[in-house]
Amino acid sequence: MRPTDEQYCLGVESTADDFGVGIATFKGEILANASSGYIPEEGGIHPREAARHHAEAADKVLEEAFQKTGIKPRNLSIIAFSQGPGLGPCLRTGATVARALASYLNIPLVGVNHSIAHIEIGKLATGAQDPVTLYVSGGNTMVTAYDCGKYRVFGETLDIALGNCLDVFAREAGLKHRKGLPLGAALEQLAAKGGKLVPLPYLVKGMDLSLSGLLTAATTALRNDSYKLEDLCYSLQENAFSMVTEVTERALAHTEKKEVLLTGGVAANKRLQSMLAVIAEEHDARFSVVPREFATDNGAMIAWTGVLAYTHGVITPIDESYVKLRWRVEKVDVPWLK
Ligand code: ATP
Ligand code: FE2
């Protein structure tokens, strides 16, 4: 039995293809992290289809989270939800679930920025305090660090996200997304068998980077059948990962922080981890990687960031709980870091 005086936050995640529910204690223990993923039959995510999946999966995922912990809805103190950024129909489905729960239980609602949740769960799970963070996922690619009341973006992609770049190429190459093996992971397995560097674009502009030219060149080379697929996968990874690593290193040199954190779905990639470990060591910084269970989208990260926000005065009234499709990290107050 858990002590009855403990406080719990339930977090709802639904920005893209996963519907997740996590339960965290106010002390930072993650008790549940249940989810259901939408896998399109072919092609990328269709927002309305994904939202339909979330609506259908919601009760099952909620039940799983409650069952695992033995916690009852009446034991919850707050409900947190991913308010953005993300896909409109998906975000709205999660927000509706969260509003319904908070209203029914008559407890506060807390809107959480999804990108910041990826950073905060990485910090909680690894013990990092004040890192330069590389957040790389299907929809985001950015280097951030805390400064003067906000997470600041030091560099980001000018076009597509790193995970998206890997996924589109993997799909072109005929790889299939399976449960437990995301496209990026399937590509990683092939890349590990390659080793010959194929000439491909490398585009860093100031502190930002561009991946769409690299993707086009790699896809064209694939269609022309001029190289071994393993070598193309290897080269795509080498170029893309070197770009994000270069930007992270410059942010590290500029901020003189002593920690580097890798988070988001692409953080599971061993080659990317090894590149970042090298630059961290060169700058005497501690390198940490978010654990795999918290790397891709999950409800636990929303629950935990909800706790941080709520315990520092943040509440989202229902009539201000509309979703924010392009909610940038530097627009978010992070009073728990002041
Ligand atoms: P958002 O961009 O909003 O954070 P998302 O759903 O796209 O959302 P995540 O769930 O964090 O993001 O990450 C999914 C991405 O991670 C996909 O592009 C997937 O291919 C990639 N990924 C997962 N495992 C690996 C791996 N081992 N190597 C490379 N990429 C990976
Ligand atoms: Fe995400």
PDB file of all heavy atoms in Angstrom, residues 39-43 166-190 229:
ATOM      1  N   ILE A  39       0.054   2.881 -35.734  1.00  0.00           N
ATOM      2  CA  ILE A  39       1.002   2.586 -36.815  1.00  0.00           C
ATOM      3  C   ILE A  39       0.240   2.623 -38.142  1.00  0.00           C
ATOM      4  O   ILE A  39      -0.630   1.783 -38.382  1.00  0.00           O
ATOM      5  CB  ILE A  39       1.684   1.214 -36.624  1.00  0.00           C
ATOM      6  CG1 ILE A  39       2.456   1.199 -35.291  1.00  0.00           C
ATOM      7  CG2 ILE A  39       2.621   0.905 -37.788  1.00  0.00           C
ATOM      8  CD1 ILE A  39       3.217  -0.082 -35.002  1.00  0.00           C
ATOM      9  N   PRO A  40       0.520   3.623 -39.003  1.00  0.00           N
ATOM     10  CA  PRO A  40      -0.203   3.714 -40.270  1.00  0.00           C
ATOM     11  C   PRO A  40       0.072   2.500 -41.151  1.00  0.00           C
ATOM     12  O   PRO A  40       1.177   1.950 -41.114  1.00  0.00           O
ATOM     13  CB  PRO A  40       0.350   4.988 -40.921  1.00  0.00           C
ATOM     14  CG  PRO A  40       1.475   5.454 -40.094  1.00  0.00           C
ATOM     15  CD  PRO A  40       1.550   4.643 -38.848  1.00  0.00           C
ATOM     16  N   GLU A  41      -0.947   2.092 -41.911  1.00  0.00           N
ATOM     17  CA  GLU A  41      -0.735   0.922 -42.785  1.00  0.00           C
ATOM     18  C   GLU A  41       0.363   1.204 -43.783  1.00  0.00           C
ATOM     19  O   GLU A  41       1.189   0.362 -44.081  1.00  0.00           O
ATOM     20  CB  GLU A  41      -2.035   0.564 -43.480  1.00  0.00           C
ATOM     21  CG  GLU A  41      -2.997   0.085 -42.418  1.00  0.00           C
ATOM     22  CD  GLU A  41      -4.113  -0.783 -42.913  1.00  0.00           C
ATOM     23  OE1 GLU A  41      -4.293  -0.905 -44.123  1.00  0.00           O
ATOM     24  OE2 GLU A  41      -4.792  -1.329 -42.033  1.00  0.00           O
ATOM     25  N   GLU A  42       0.355   2.406 -44.337  1.00  0.00           N
ATOM     26  CA  GLU A  42       1.499   2.829 -45.147  1.00  0.00           C
ATOM     27  C   GLU A  42       1.632   4.339 -45.094  1.00  0.00           C
ATOM     28  O   GLU A  42       0.681   5.042 -44.752  1.00  0.00           O
ATOM     29  CB  GLU A  42       1.366   2.344 -46.594  1.00  0.00           C
ATOM     30  CG  GLU A  42       0.153   2.835 -47.328  1.00  0.00           C
ATOM     31  CD  GLU A  42       0.096   2.204 -48.712  1.00  0.00           C
ATOM     32  OE1 GLU A  42      -0.219   1.007 -48.780  1.00  0.00           O
ATOM     33  OE2 GLU A  42       0.398   2.911 -49.671  1.00  0.00           O
ATOM     34  N   GLY A  43       2.860   4.820 -45.423  1.00  0.00           N
ATOM     35  CA  GLY A  43       3.104   6.257 -45.409  1.00  0.00           C
ATOM     36  C   GLY A  43       3.242   6.794 -43.996  1.00  0.00           C
ATOM     37  O   GLY A  43       3.353   6.046 -43.031  1.00  0.00           O
ATOM     38  N   LEU A 166      15.072  10.465 -41.047  1.00  0.00           N
ATOM     39  CA  LEU A 166      15.404   9.034 -41.004  1.00  0.00           C
ATOM     40  C   LEU A 166      14.208   8.185 -41.411  1.00  0.00           C
ATOM     41  O   LEU A 166      14.340   7.218 -42.173  1.00  0.00           O
ATOM     42  CB  LEU A 166      15.853   8.635 -39.590  1.00  0.00           C
ATOM     43  CG  LEU A 166      17.065   9.373 -39.012  1.00  0.00           C
ATOM     44  CD1 LEU A 166      17.320   8.933 -37.569  1.00  0.00           C
ATOM     45  CD2 LEU A 166      18.316   9.132 -39.860  1.00  0.00           C
ATOM     46  N   ASP A 167      13.017   8.564 -40.933  1.00  0.00           N
ATOM     47  CA  ASP A 167      11.807   7.775 -41.211  1.00  0.00           C
ATOM     48  C   ASP A 167      11.453   7.781 -42.703  1.00  0.00           C
ATOM     49  O   ASP A 167      11.100   6.745 -43.267  1.00  0.00           O
ATOM     50  CB  ASP A 167      10.606   8.323 -40.429  1.00  0.00           C
ATOM     51  CG  ASP A 167      10.728   8.066 -38.928  1.00  0.00           C
ATOM     52  OD1 ASP A 167      11.664   7.351 -38.528  1.00  0.00           O
ATOM     53  OD2 ASP A 167       9.890   8.593 -38.175  1.00  0.00           O
ATOM     54  N   VAL A 168      11.529   8.960 -43.325  1.00  0.00           N
ATOM     55  CA  VAL A 168      11.158   9.060 -44.742  1.00  0.00           C
ATOM     56  C   VAL A 168      12.125   8.228 -45.583  1.00  0.00           C
ATOM     57  O   VAL A 168      11.721   7.460 -46.460  1.00  0.00           O
ATOM     58  CB  VAL A 168      11.140  10.534 -45.211  1.00  0.00           C
ATOM     59  CG1 VAL A 168      10.961  10.628 -46.720  1.00  0.00           C
ATOM     60  CG2 VAL A 168      10.024  11.299 -44.503  1.00  0.00           C
ATOM     61  N   PHE A 169      13.415   8.328 -45.251  1.00  0.00           N
ATOM     62  CA  PHE A 169      14.394   7.542 -46.003  1.00  0.00           C
ATOM     63  C   PHE A 169      14.157   6.051 -45.792  1.00  0.00           C
ATOM     64  O   PHE A 169      14.169   5.258 -46.739  1.00  0.00           O
ATOM     65  CB  PHE A 169      15.825   7.912 -45.591  1.00  0.00           C
ATOM     66  CG  PHE A 169      16.853   7.133 -46.353  1.00  0.00           C
ATOM     67  CD1 PHE A 169      17.236   7.532 -47.630  1.00  0.00           C
ATOM     68  CD2 PHE A 169      17.401   5.970 -45.822  1.00  0.00           C
ATOM     69  CE1 PHE A 169      18.147   6.783 -48.364  1.00  0.00           C
ATOM     70  CE2 PHE A 169      18.315   5.220 -46.553  1.00  0.00           C
ATOM     71  CZ  PHE A 169      18.692   5.625 -47.818  1.00  0.00           C
ATOM     72  N   ALA A 170      13.917   5.668 -44.547  1.00  0.00           N
ATOM     73  CA  ALA A 170      13.702   4.243 -44.228  1.00  0.00           C
ATOM     74  C   ALA A 170      12.492   3.709 -44.989  1.00  0.00           C
ATOM     75  O   ALA A 170      12.515   2.596 -45.526  1.00  0.00           O
ATOM     76  CB  ALA A 170      13.503   4.074 -42.726  1.00  0.00           C
ATOM     77  N   ARG A 171      11.442   4.504 -45.056  1.00  0.00           N
ATOM     78  CA  ARG A 171      10.234   4.081 -45.771  1.00  0.00           C
ATOM     79  C   ARG A 171      10.523   3.914 -47.256  1.00  0.00           C
ATOM     80  O   ARG A 171      10.103   2.950 -47.885  1.00  0.00           O
ATOM     81  CB  ARG A 171       9.121   5.104 -45.552  1.00  0.00           C
ATOM     82  CG  ARG A 171       7.858   4.472 -45.033  1.00  0.00           C
ATOM     83  CD  ARG A 171       6.789   5.501 -44.780  1.00  0.00           C
ATOM     84  NE  ARG A 171       6.818   5.987 -43.414  1.00  0.00           N
ATOM     85  CZ  ARG A 171       6.923   7.252 -43.044  1.00  0.00           C
ATOM     86  NH1 ARG A 171       7.039   8.209 -43.945  1.00  0.00           N
ATOM     87  NH2 ARG A 171       6.924   7.578 -41.784  1.00  0.00           N
ATOM     88  N   GLU A 172      11.290   4.885 -47.818  1.00  0.00           N
ATOM     89  CA  GLU A 172      11.696   4.803 -49.231  1.00  0.00           C
ATOM     90  C   GLU A 172      12.478   3.521 -49.493  1.00  0.00           C
ATOM     91  O   GLU A 172      12.392   2.924 -50.561  1.00  0.00           O
ATOM     92  CB  GLU A 172      12.606   5.980 -49.596  1.00  0.00           C
ATOM     93  CG  GLU A 172      11.895   7.251 -49.974  1.00  0.00           C
ATOM     94  CD  GLU A 172      11.154   7.156 -51.297  1.00  0.00           C
ATOM     95  OE1 GLU A 172      11.673   6.518 -52.230  1.00  0.00           O
ATOM     96  OE2 GLU A 172      10.045   7.711 -51.383  1.00  0.00           O
ATOM     97  N   ALA A 173      13.266   3.126 -48.493  1.00  0.00           N
ATOM     98  CA  ALA A 173      14.118   1.944 -48.646  1.00  0.00           C
ATOM     99  C   ALA A 173      13.337   0.654 -48.396  1.00  0.00           C
ATOM    100  O   ALA A 173      13.910  -0.430 -48.422  1.00  0.00           O
ATOM    101  CB  ALA A 173      15.303   2.030 -47.689  1.00  0.00           C
ATOM    102  N   GLY A 174      12.038   0.797 -48.107  1.00  0.00           N
ATOM    103  CA  GLY A 174      11.198  -0.390 -47.951  1.00  0.00           C
ATOM    104  C   GLY A 174      11.170  -0.955 -46.542  1.00  0.00           C
ATOM    105  O   GLY A 174      10.627  -2.039 -46.321  1.00  0.00           O
ATOM    106  N   LEU A 175      11.765  -0.237 -45.578  1.00  0.00           N
ATOM    107  CA  LEU A 175      11.725  -0.733 -44.198  1.00  0.00           C
ATOM    108  C   LEU A 175      10.332  -0.501 -43.627  1.00  0.00           C
ATOM    109  O   LEU A 175       9.642   0.431 -44.008  1.00  0.00           O
ATOM    110  CB  LEU A 175      12.777  -0.016 -43.336  1.00  0.00           C
ATOM    111  CG  LEU A 175      14.208  -0.095 -43.851  1.00  0.00           C
ATOM    112  CD1 LEU A 175      15.160   0.617 -42.902  1.00  0.00           C
ATOM    113  CD2 LEU A 175      14.634  -1.553 -43.994  1.00  0.00           C
ATOM    114  N   LYS A 176       9.945  -1.357 -42.716  1.00  0.00           N
ATOM    115  CA  LYS A 176       8.588  -1.266 -42.150  1.00  0.00           C
ATOM    116  C   LYS A 176       8.646  -0.920 -40.666  1.00  0.00           C
ATOM    117  O   LYS A 176       9.496  -1.417 -39.933  1.00  0.00           O
ATOM    118  CB  LYS A 176       7.864  -2.619 -42.301  1.00  0.00           C
ATOM    119  CG  LYS A 176       7.527  -2.977 -43.745  1.00  0.00           C
ATOM    120  CD  LYS A 176       6.115  -2.514 -44.106  1.00  0.00           C
ATOM    121  CE  LYS A 176       5.711  -2.862 -45.521  1.00  0.00           C
ATOM    122  NZ  LYS A 176       6.283  -2.048 -46.572  1.00  0.00           N
ATOM    123  N   HIS A 177       7.720  -0.062 -40.255  1.00  0.00           N
ATOM    124  CA  HIS A 177       7.576   0.284 -38.837  1.00  0.00           C
ATOM    125  C   HIS A 177       6.837  -0.863 -38.149  1.00  0.00           C
ATOM    126  O   HIS A 177       5.722  -1.184 -38.525  1.00  0.00           O
ATOM    127  CB  HIS A 177       6.769   1.584 -38.739  1.00  0.00           C
ATOM    128  CG  HIS A 177       6.598   2.093 -37.330  1.00  0.00           C
ATOM    129  ND1 HIS A 177       6.042   3.312 -37.046  1.00  0.00           N
ATOM    130  CD2 HIS A 177       6.913   1.546 -36.137  1.00  0.00           C
ATOM    131  CE1 HIS A 177       6.009   3.474 -35.735  1.00  0.00           C
ATOM    132  NE2 HIS A 177       6.538   2.426 -35.165  1.00  0.00           N
ATOM    133  N   ARG A 178       7.495  -1.470 -37.180  1.00  0.00           N
ATOM    134  CA  ARG A 178       6.821  -2.540 -36.434  1.00  0.00           C
ATOM    135  C   ARG A 178       6.795  -2.166 -34.958  1.00  0.00           C
ATOM    136  O   ARG A 178       7.609  -1.352 -34.501  1.00  0.00           O
ATOM    137  CB  ARG A 178       7.576  -3.868 -36.617  1.00  0.00           C
ATOM    138  CG  ARG A 178       7.309  -4.475 -38.001  1.00  0.00           C
ATOM    139  CD  ARG A 178       7.998  -5.813 -38.153  1.00  0.00           C
ATOM    140  NE  ARG A 178       9.381  -5.661 -38.589  1.00  0.00           N
ATOM    141  CZ  ARG A 178      10.427  -6.183 -37.947  1.00  0.00           C
ATOM    142  NH1 ARG A 178      10.266  -6.870 -36.853  1.00  0.00           N
ATOM    143  NH2 ARG A 178      11.644  -6.010 -38.419  1.00  0.00           N
ATOM    144  N   LYS A 179       5.893  -2.784 -34.217  1.00  0.00           N
ATOM    145  CA  LYS A 179       5.814  -2.515 -32.781  1.00  0.00           C
ATOM    146  C   LYS A 179       7.154  -2.885 -32.153  1.00  0.00           C
ATOM    147  O   LYS A 179       7.684  -3.960 -32.407  1.00  0.00           O
ATOM    148  CB  LYS A 179       4.688  -3.349 -32.173  1.00  0.00           C
ATOM    149  CG  LYS A 179       4.201  -2.820 -30.844  1.00  0.00           C
ATOM    150  CD  LYS A 179       2.914  -3.515 -30.444  1.00  0.00           C
ATOM    151  CE  LYS A 179       2.537  -3.319 -29.006  1.00  0.00           C
ATOM    152  NZ  LYS A 179       2.695  -2.070 -28.368  1.00  0.00           N
ATOM    153  N   GLY A 180       7.716  -1.972 -31.405  1.00  0.00           N
ATOM    154  CA  GLY A 180       8.996  -2.257 -30.758  1.00  0.00           C
ATOM    155  C   GLY A 180      10.196  -1.978 -31.643  1.00  0.00           C
ATOM    156  O   GLY A 180      11.330  -2.013 -31.181  1.00  0.00           O
ATOM    157  N   LEU A 181       9.955  -1.729 -32.932  1.00  0.00           N
ATOM    158  CA  LEU A 181      11.073  -1.390 -33.824  1.00  0.00           C
ATOM    159  C   LEU A 181      10.666  -0.209 -34.719  1.00  0.00           C
ATOM    160  O   LEU A 181      10.190  -0.391 -35.842  1.00  0.00           O
ATOM    161  CB  LEU A 181      11.483  -2.585 -34.688  1.00  0.00           C
ATOM    162  CG  LEU A 181      12.786  -2.382 -35.468  1.00  0.00           C
ATOM    163  CD1 LEU A 181      13.995  -2.414 -34.557  1.00  0.00           C
ATOM    164  CD2 LEU A 181      12.937  -3.410 -36.580  1.00  0.00           C
ATOM    165  N   PRO A 182      10.885   1.028 -34.212  1.00  0.00           N
ATOM    166  CA  PRO A 182      10.564   2.197 -35.023  1.00  0.00           C
ATOM    167  C   PRO A 182      11.454   2.239 -36.264  1.00  0.00           C
ATOM    168  O   PRO A 182      12.509   1.580 -36.299  1.00  0.00           O
ATOM    169  CB  PRO A 182      10.890   3.382 -34.108  1.00  0.00           C
ATOM    170  CG  PRO A 182      11.130   2.830 -32.748  1.00  0.00           C
ATOM    171  CD  PRO A 182      11.460   1.376 -32.905  1.00  0.00           C
ATOM    172  N   LEU A 183      11.041   3.003 -37.260  1.00  0.00           N
ATOM    173  CA  LEU A 183      11.810   3.063 -38.513  1.00  0.00           C
ATOM    174  C   LEU A 183      13.260   3.477 -38.278  1.00  0.00           C
ATOM    175  O   LEU A 183      14.179   2.925 -38.880  1.00  0.00           O
ATOM    176  CB  LEU A 183      11.129   4.040 -39.474  1.00  0.00           C
ATOM    177  CG  LEU A 183       9.852   3.516 -40.143  1.00  0.00           C
ATOM    178  CD1 LEU A 183       9.094   4.648 -40.828  1.00  0.00           C
ATOM    179  CD2 LEU A 183      10.186   2.419 -41.149  1.00  0.00           C
ATOM    180  N   GLY A 184      13.453   4.455 -37.388  1.00  0.00           N
ATOM    181  CA  GLY A 184      14.818   4.927 -37.104  1.00  0.00           C
ATOM    182  C   GLY A 184      15.692   3.806 -36.562  1.00  0.00           C
ATOM    183  O   GLY A 184      16.893   3.729 -36.859  1.00  0.00           O
ATOM    184  N   ALA A 185      15.091   2.928 -35.770  1.00  0.00           N
ATOM    185  CA  ALA A 185      15.850   1.814 -35.196  1.00  0.00           C
ATOM    186  C   ALA A 185      16.164   0.773 -36.264  1.00  0.00           C
ATOM    187  O   ALA A 185      17.253   0.177 -36.269  1.00  0.00           O
ATOM    188  CB  ALA A 185      15.060   1.190 -34.054  1.00  0.00           C
ATOM    189  N   ALA A 186      15.219   0.562 -37.190  1.00  0.00           N
ATOM    190  CA  ALA A 186      15.461  -0.381 -38.291  1.00  0.00           C
ATOM    191  C   ALA A 186      16.603   0.136 -39.165  1.00  0.00           C
ATOM    192  O   ALA A 186      17.483  -0.620 -39.597  1.00  0.00           O
ATOM    193  CB  ALA A 186      14.184  -0.552 -39.113  1.00  0.00           C
ATOM    194  N   LEU A 187      16.598   1.454 -39.401  1.00  0.00           N
ATOM    195  CA  LEU A 187      17.666   2.067 -40.200  1.00  0.00           C
ATOM    196  C   LEU A 187      19.017   1.960 -39.468  1.00  0.00           C
ATOM    197  O   LEU A 187      20.052   1.698 -40.083  1.00  0.00           O
ATOM    198  CB  LEU A 187      17.310   3.532 -40.464  1.00  0.00           C
ATOM    199  CG  LEU A 187      18.217   4.275 -41.421  1.00  0.00           C
ATOM    200  CD1 LEU A 187      17.375   5.023 -42.446  1.00  0.00           C
ATOM    201  CD2 LEU A 187      19.102   5.271 -40.710  1.00  0.00           C
ATOM    202  N   GLU A 188      18.978   2.127 -38.163  1.00  0.00           N
ATOM    203  CA  GLU A 188      20.203   2.016 -37.355  1.00  0.00           C
ATOM    204  C   GLU A 188      20.829   0.629 -37.518  1.00  0.00           C
ATOM    205  O   GLU A 188      22.055   0.497 -37.651  1.00  0.00           O
ATOM    206  CB  GLU A 188      19.890   2.287 -35.879  1.00  0.00           C
ATOM    207  CG  GLU A 188      21.111   2.161 -34.978  1.00  0.00           C
ATOM    208  CD  GLU A 188      20.810   2.406 -33.504  1.00  0.00           C
ATOM    209  OE1 GLU A 188      19.636   2.349 -33.096  1.00  0.00           O
ATOM    210  OE2 GLU A 188      21.782   2.640 -32.758  1.00  0.00           O
ATOM    211  N   GLN A 189      19.986  -0.397 -37.536  1.00  0.00           N
ATOM    212  CA  GLN A 189      20.503  -1.765 -37.682  1.00  0.00           C
ATOM    213  C   GLN A 189      21.216  -1.945 -39.017  1.00  0.00           C
ATOM    214  O   GLN A 189      22.283  -2.542 -39.093  1.00  0.00           O
ATOM    215  CB  GLN A 189      19.355  -2.773 -37.572  1.00  0.00           C
ATOM    216  CG  GLN A 189      18.804  -2.889 -36.169  1.00  0.00           C
ATOM    217  CD  GLN A 189      17.644  -3.877 -36.072  1.00  0.00           C
ATOM    218  OE1 GLN A 189      17.185  -4.418 -37.079  1.00  0.00           O
ATOM    219  NE2 GLN A 189      17.167  -4.112 -34.864  1.00  0.00           N
ATOM    220  N   LEU A 190      20.619  -1.386 -40.083  1.00  0.00           N
ATOM    221  CA  LEU A 190      21.261  -1.499 -41.407  1.00  0.00           C
ATOM    222  C   LEU A 190      22.555  -0.690 -41.453  1.00  0.00           C
ATOM    223  O   LEU A 190      23.574  -1.136 -41.995  1.00  0.00           O
ATOM    224  CB  LEU A 190      20.317  -0.979 -42.492  1.00  0.00           C
ATOM    225  CG  LEU A 190      19.296  -1.950 -43.050  1.00  0.00           C
ATOM    226  CD1 LEU A 190      18.478  -1.257 -44.133  1.00  0.00           C
ATOM    227  CD2 LEU A 190      20.000  -3.174 -43.648  1.00  0.00           C
ATOM    228  N   LEU A 229      22.711  -0.303 -49.880  1.00  0.00           N
ATOM    229  CA  LEU A 229      21.758   0.319 -48.949  1.00  0.00           C
ATOM    230  C   LEU A 229      22.394   0.540 -47.569  1.00  0.00           C
ATOM    231  O   LEU A 229      22.217   1.589 -46.949  1.00  0.00           O
ATOM    232  CB  LEU A 229      20.501  -0.561 -48.828  1.00  0.00           C
ATOM    233  CG  LEU A 229      19.449  -0.061 -47.830  1.00  0.00           C
ATOM    234  CD1 LEU A 229      18.948   1.328 -48.193  1.00  0.00           C
ATOM    235  CD2 LEU A 229      18.279  -1.043 -47.745  1.00  0.00           C
TER     236      LEU A 229
END
